[in-house]
Amino acid sequence: MTATATRPQDAAPPATGGKRAPKRERQGAAWVFLSPWVLGAAVLTLLPMAVSLYLSFTDYDMFDAPQWIGFRNYTQMFTEDPRYWRSVITTLTYVVIAVPLQLAMALAVAIALKSVKRGKGFYRSAFYAPSLLGASMSIALVWRAIFNDGGSVDNLLSGMGIDIGGWINKPGWAILSVALLTIWQFGAPMVIFLAGLQQIPVELYEAAAVDGASWWRQFRSITIPMLSPVLFFNLVLQMIQAFQVFTPAFAVSAGKGGPADSTLVYTLYLYDRGFTASHMGYASAMAWALLLAIGVVTAVLFRTSRAWVFYANDTNEGGR
């Protein structure tokens, strides 16, 4: 009698306490749980974006039916509207001032907090609070009062013999007062920097100290390279937010972008065209131009990051 070998695939399956649900049923359950987010994204994001894209090719005043005009809004925006280009220049000026100074302030405070031994939680909360409060209209109005004629800044500088007057009434200083409000809101990038600093191995600083490296040398050769991914993350986020600044400029200029359009940032002019002048089609075209511009800037940042962002698992220093 010859024994017949039993192949593994012919063997009876092991007894289990229950059957696993089919793959299709598991996917159905996942979609059920995802449906609130999918529905919200479709109704609150994708559908408005599609409508806005359509309106950008129309003449629409929110009262009459949209009239298709093709690329006329874009042509007028780029070739016939000098205020549009003033808003672009004002926004770029604001971004160049606000973003680097805000990140520098956030990094400096994060480095200082890293060495704090007692009350670290209190200081973190205190420095983070402006990020929660600064975006409100009430704080922006207080900021306007501080930098107005006879405000705190005017009185302080006058007491020091510097007679500038109210910043918000000076074309050369008004955008700086708006940028300072953004710089003051450095709490969010500060927390991210602090988390990144805590991940840098202490042994690197100890070895550098043994070799006689100064504080500046350690900062330039250890802190910045090891913190470069976090710096890049903060740079992208703050750059995107800076291009969309609205509340400080609206409050400081009372919604007019003055004096002499010196605070007429892009989103404020978009608001003026859409809701004040009722040119919603033109405002939609401006919104899509801003979206494309932010996309291009973000792509450039990602492209150039290969030269200066260092990741720990990279084989080539300084590359991605």
Side-chain angles (χ1 to χ4, degrees), residues 297-308:
V297 171
T298 304
V300 171
L301 289 176
F302 272 90
R303 184 68 177 177
T304 57
S305 67
R306 299 180 180 182
W308 61 274

Side-chain angles (χ1 to χ4, degrees), residues 13 40 58 85 93 95 143 151 200 208 219 240 252 254-255 262 268 282 309:
T58 66
W85 288 110
T93 303
V95 170
W143 206 260
I200 301 177
F219 175 77
I240 293 174
V252 167
S262 60
L268 182 57
Y282 190 86
V309 177

Side-chain angles (χ1 to χ4, degrees), residues 109-186:
V109 175
I111 293 174
L113 287 180
K114 183 186 176 183
S115 60
V116 173
K117 302 301 182 182
R118 302 178 60 181
K120 183 177 294 187
F122 168 77
Y123 289 115
R124 287 180 183 176
S125 301
F127 284 115
Y128 185 77
S131 293
L132 299 176
L133 303 174
S136 65
M137 179 60 72
S138 58
I139 296 298
L141 291 175
V142 171
W143 206 260
R144 178 185 178 185
I146 291 175
F147 285 92
N148 207 342
D149 287 328
S152 302
V153 174
D154 185 19
N155 294 333
L156 178 63
L157 293 178
S158 297
M160 299 172 59
I162 304 175
D163 189 12
I164 297 177
W167 287 23
I168 64 174
N169 297 320
K170 306 291 184 181
W173 293 86
I175 192 61
L176 181 58
S177 65
V178 176
L180 287 176
L181 179 55
T182 299
I183 297 169
W184 178 63
Q185 304 170 47
F186 62 84

